């Protein structure tokens, strides 16, 4: 992450998730960012000004009409000096007041007076988030260029299970880094494409074959690259994941669609193929296949195009092509052979035996293989694998 000397204005709204903002302040400070905090009246019901000020090592701003604050730093200056304004937790009320352009406390006044980009981490009850009023406000704010991280689905403080949980501090931190990376970062001015998720190969108008890839590893890589400032084209098979900030996502179904999307993204500085592309496709039956007694349907299979090999041999070959190898035995040996056969520069080998839970899971243990040899990485969560890989890519592209 490249947050050293970045100035973040953090607005802490009134929600039970406010405690997570304390972790966020600590993580931002560890990354070298300067953090100034506004604590709303409701926010102060959940966390104390003293904790916020101790962690940020700055005074906490609470009152629009505080003479001390105004003498020391007017609210205009407070909002103008920020590289990024982050609202976490962003309550339904704060979002509504922002969408309406109200300026009835220090937080909303600063938001209205600021020309800095704004990132919201909403947190609220699931019904409040799903309410058309909140969704309209979200839409209006997004149209004005406000970015969002979360909310996530899960257990809520009110005891319900729904979408409304504030994103975890680490995720907000990544979103902050990717917001700021457009302004700087080791991959600024670099274009990369990342493939993620499974492909889905139709058998007839209603059936398909696919695999269990969730897209988590590929999405984490795309996010980490965007956080370093890269312009990322994320080419995603059918997955249930939200689109990360600051990248363009192209949704595809089949291997043929994925190849076409990859080719139209060229030229790029690097291609990272983390998708689990089906090796075969069926001759698609024009109508739904009928069950005829005990007989089994005749399906005729063909090879799918190999996207990684095509990119590796293309006349517009990216300077760096990275493949993944999903193996269940002799992981390194098979991956080395795959790297040579497909012609990519690096191959990231993972053991996808069922007991490892890599497909769909949150962690991975990989070997990174290049012309110089094999690096064994420890078991890490997929975000950490992605961040380490993104740093390696930045280094290889000569920008770090
Ligand atoms: O999505 P997750 O649940 O997070 O799981 C992550 C993952 C296990 C899917 C990921 O880490 C991974 O290993 N991706 C590659 C899966 C795969 O298809 O491996 P493979 O060994 O079959 O293929 C080798 C390489 O060739 C891969 O880069 C693949 O994208 C590419 N390929 C394969 C077939 C094909 N027709 N075209 C290709 O481009």
């Amino acid at each position: 992450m490249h947050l050293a000397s970045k100035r973040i204005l953090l607005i802490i709204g009134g929600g039970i998730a406010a405690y997570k903002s304390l972790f966020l302040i600590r993580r931002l400070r560890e990354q070298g960012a300067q953090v100034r905090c506004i604590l709303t009246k409701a926010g102060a019901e959940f966390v104390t000004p003293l904790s916020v000020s101790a962690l940020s090592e700055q005074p906490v701003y609470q009152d629009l009409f505080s003479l001390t604050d105004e003498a020391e730093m007017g609210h205009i200056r407070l909002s103008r000096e920020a590289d990024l304004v982050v609202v976490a937790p962003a309550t339904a009320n704060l979002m509504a007041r922002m969408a309406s352009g109200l300026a009835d406390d220090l937080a909303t006044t600063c938001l209205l007076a600021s020309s800095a980009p704004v990132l919201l981490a909403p947190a609220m009850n699931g019904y409040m988030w799903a309410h058309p009023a909140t969704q309209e406000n979200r839409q209006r704010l997004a149209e004005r260029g406000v970015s969002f991280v979360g909310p996530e689905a899960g257990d809520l403080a009110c005891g319900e299970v729904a979408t409304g949980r504030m994103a975890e501090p680490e995720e907000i931190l990544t979103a902050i880094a990717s917001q700021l990376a457009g302004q700087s970062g080791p991959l600024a001015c670099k274009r990369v494409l990342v493939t993620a998720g499974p492909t889905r190969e139709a058998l007839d108008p209603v059936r398909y074959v696919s695999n269990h890839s969730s897209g988590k590893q590929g999405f984490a890589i795309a996010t980490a690259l965007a956080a370093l400032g890269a312009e990322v084209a994320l080419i995603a098979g059918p997955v249930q994941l939200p689109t990360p900030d600051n990248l363009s996502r192209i949704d595809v179904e089949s291997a043929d669609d994925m190849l076409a999307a990859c080719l139209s993204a060229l030229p790029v500085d690097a291609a990272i193929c983390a998708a689990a592309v089906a090796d075969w496709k069926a001759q698609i039956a024009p109508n739904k296949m009928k069950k005829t007694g005990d007989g089994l349907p005749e399906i005729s299979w063909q090879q799918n195009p190999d996207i990684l090999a095509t990119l590796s041999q293309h006349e517009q070959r990216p300077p760096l092509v990275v493949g993944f190898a999903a193996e269940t035995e002799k992981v390194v040996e098979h991956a080395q052979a795959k790297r040579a056969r497909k012609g990519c520069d690096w191959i990231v080998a993972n053991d996808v035996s069922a007991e490892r839970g890599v497909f769909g899971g949150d962690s991975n243990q990989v070997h990174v293989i290049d012309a110089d040899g094999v690096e064994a990485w420890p078991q890490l969560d997929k975000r950490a694998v992605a961040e380490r890989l993104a740093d390696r890519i930045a280094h290889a592209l000569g920008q770090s």
Side-chain angles (χ1 to χ4, degrees), residues 26-92:
R26 202 177 68 191
R27 292 290 289 122
L28 284 165
R29 294 289 298 130
E30 282 167 9
Q31 298 291 326
Q34 182 198 79
V35 190
R36 289 208 161 103
C37 296
I38 293 177
L39 187 58
T40 67
K41 198 159 174 265
E45 299 289 333
F46 294 90
V47 291
T48 68
L50 190 59
S51 326
V52 175
S53 142
L55 286 163
S56 64
E57 299 172 78
Q58 294 282 336
V60 179
Y61 302 92
Q62 290 184 269
D63 188 357
L64 183 57
F65 300 108
S66 155
L67 285 178
T68 336
D69 293 356
E70 286 299 309
E72 189 189 303
M73 172 181 283
H75 62 266
I76 299 289
R77 232 179 108 199
L78 191 57
S79 54
R80 291 288 161 77
E81 283 188 353
D83 295 308
L84 178 70
V85 181
V86 179
V87 187
T91 59

Side-chain angles (χ1 to χ4, degrees), residues 152-175:
E152 295 172 348
D155 293 329
L156 302 179
C158 56
E160 291 170 11
V161 179
T163 299
R165 270 171 76 94
M166 187 165 95
E168 293 303 318
E170 282 302 321
E171 259 168 79
I172 302 176
L173 191 68
T174 305

